[in-house]
Structure formats: structure tokens, C-alpha cells
Amino acid sequence: DADVTQTPRNRITKTGKRIMLECSQTKGHDRMYWYRQDPGLGLRLIYYSFDVKDINKGEISDGYSVSRQAQAKFSLSLESAIPNQTALYFCATSGVRGKGQETQYFGPGTRLLVL
Amino acid sequence: AQSVTQLDSQVPVFEEAPVELRCNYSSSVSVYLFWYVQYPNQGLQLLLKYLSGSTLVKGINGFEAEFNKSQTSFHLRKPSVHISDTAEYFCAVSWNNDMRFGAGTRLTVKP
């Protein structure tokens, strides 16, 4: 079984709709991240969480919100989707920095199309 | 602010040829450096990382990278590529509680 899973893998929605992307991990990591990937731009950080009570905005948080329901679960919401949020979304996890666990482990991605 | 520049968006090479994917970074603080690979329709996988110590880092699948502090570079190399190395490669820099990725280099290995 995959260590980091994302649901759904593909989603088509309409402008103005609310949508939630979910991420679960079995690696026991405290840190979780949401990125979006756009062609030619690489990955950009949306939100990150260092534990259940710690949520932080990333580089491009506008239009997004997150919820850390448990150590293993981190959800990303688009309250009112717009077409320029069409992208590939990745969840990632990592251990504690400075203890040799800086590597981030990525889920398979969710491809989102907003019409 | 820290940033990462991958100097080539696409690199086509023939099978068994050597390849170098270039990465430069900008930072005023100490950073960790990473190379990730993304195969079609998959997430990113770690190829190698530089945290400290030896500046030549060896990773999976025969790849290696050299950290050059004076030139702020972390170029990825492989002496002989295979068709299966066709993928997108991302350089990333990490400091404190943040990470920045480059825009990616698409490596295409031709027979």
C-alpha cells in the first residue's frame, strides 16, 4: 500500500463550486504539505502543517483553506473554485527537520479541472 | 528570499550518452538541496539530497550531484542514460521550515 494517498485522483468541477481534496499518510510523519504543479512553474506550496494544531500559509494560499483532522490526514479545500485553480495538486509529508528526515514524500497527485 | 533556477526546461539526449541537468540557487542562509524525479502520471520521488559533508552526493539509479557553494550550484549528472530515465526532474532548496522547487527540466532519452 502507498504511504501517501490522495483522493480523488481526478476531478472535474464548475466555477463557484466547493471542492475538497483529501490526503492520508501511513508514514507516521508530523509534517504535511499541499502543493500545486503548473507547467513551467514547478511546484508551489499552498499550505503546510507541522502538527494537528499548527497550520501555516505557503507561497500561494489565497483561494484555498486546509484542515488537519488528525496526524495522518490533511485536507485542502477550494471554497469557490475558479478556472485558474486548474492544476495538479500534490500532498507531501516529512519528518522533523534536523534529524535527517527532511525528505518530503509525495502522494500520486490529484488532477483538478475547473470549468 | 531563497530561489531555485533550473537552467534548461528541456534536455533531449540519446541513450547511453552522459547528461547534466543544471540547477542554481540563491540563498542568504544555509540550505539543504534536493533533486526529485517525476515519472509520467506519478508523484515526485527523491533522487538524492545534500545536507552536509561531502559535496559529491550519490543517489538512486546511477545519478549523482555536486554541491558547489561558491557557484551556488547543485548540478545533476549521469554518465550513461537509459530510456527509462525519461522524466521530469526538479531541483529544490530547503531552509528553516520552507522548501522551494525549480520549474523542472524535462529529460527525454531517445533510442
Side-chain angles (χ1 to χ4, degrees):
Chain A
D1 288 339
D3 294 320
V4 184
T5 57
Q6 292 183 234
T7 56
R9 293 294 313 277
N10 294 280
R11 181 72 184 267
I12 301 174
T13 191
K14 295 182 179 179
T15 297
K17 294 291 187 182
R18 183 178 188 276
I19 182 170
M20 179 181 288
L21 310 183
E22 299 186 342
C23 175
S24 295
Q25 54 112 347
T26 59
K27 298 191 72 68
H29 285 162
D30 288 323
R31 299 184 171 197
M32 298 186 73
Y33 310 80
W34 275 105
Y35 292 91
R36 65 177 280 176
Q37 183 181 18
D38 299 277
L41 295 178
L43 276 75
R44 291 180 292 166
L45 183 63
I46 306 172
Y47 271 96
Y48 60 100
S49 169
F50 287 167
D51 64 41
V52 174
K53 296 181 180 180
D54 181 54
I55 304 289
N56 304 279
K57 292 183 177 181
E59 190 181 353
I60 52 162
S61 59
D62 287 349
Y64 301 95
S65 62
V66 291
S67 172
R68 185 82 183 266
Q69 301 94 324
Q71 186 204 35
K73 296 184 182 296
F74 192 37
S75 300
L76 175 72
S77 293
L78 287 66
E79 297 300 327
S80 179
I82 56 177
N84 76 359
Q85 291 177 312
T86 292
L88 186 55
Y89 290 84
F90 286 105
C91 175
T93 75
S94 71
V96 178
R97 181 181 175 89
K99 297 188 181 296
Q101 299 185 57
E102 297 80 3
T103 301
Q104 293 193 12
Y105 296 86
F106 286 79
T110 294
R111 193 171 296 278
L112 175 65
L113 172 61
V114 183
L115 301 175
Chain B
Q2 282 60 242
S3 66
V4 180
T5 302
Q6 292 183 242
L7 297 164
D8 306 290
S9 60
Q10 297 188 57
V11 174
V13 295
F14 287 105
E15 193 173 19
E16 299 183 4
V19 71
E20 178 180 80
L21 306 184
R22 298 180 293 167
C23 173
N24 284 95
Y25 69 94
S26 171
S27 177
S28 57
V29 300
S30 295
V31 296
Y32 296 158
L33 295 159
F34 302 79
W35 275 99
Y36 284 86
V37 60
Q38 184 181 29
Y39 298 106
N41 299 313
Q42 295 186 26
L44 279 69
Q45 302 173 33
L46 180 71
L47 267 181
L48 48 79
K49 61 184 176 182
Y50 172 78
L51 304 181
S52 65
S54 172
T55 57
L56 183 63
V57 181
K58 293 188 182 299
I60 62 172
N61 301 339
F63 283 93
E64 63 180 31
E66 186 159 17
F67 170 58
N68 187 318
K69 188 174 183 179
S70 63
Q71 297 185 9
T72 60
S73 68
F74 191 55
H75 300 334
L76 180 71
R77 301 185 183 99
K78 186 170 182 177
S80 176
V81 295
H82 302 291
I83 298 287
S84 59
D85 292 322
T86 293
E88 187 142 21
Y89 293 78
F90 292 94
C91 181
V93 59
S94 170
W95 72 100
N96 294 331
N97 299 318
D98 208 342
M99 180 176 274
R100 288 285 187 271
F101 286 83
T105 296
R106 183 168 297 278
L107 174 66
T108 302
V109 181
K110 299 180 284 187

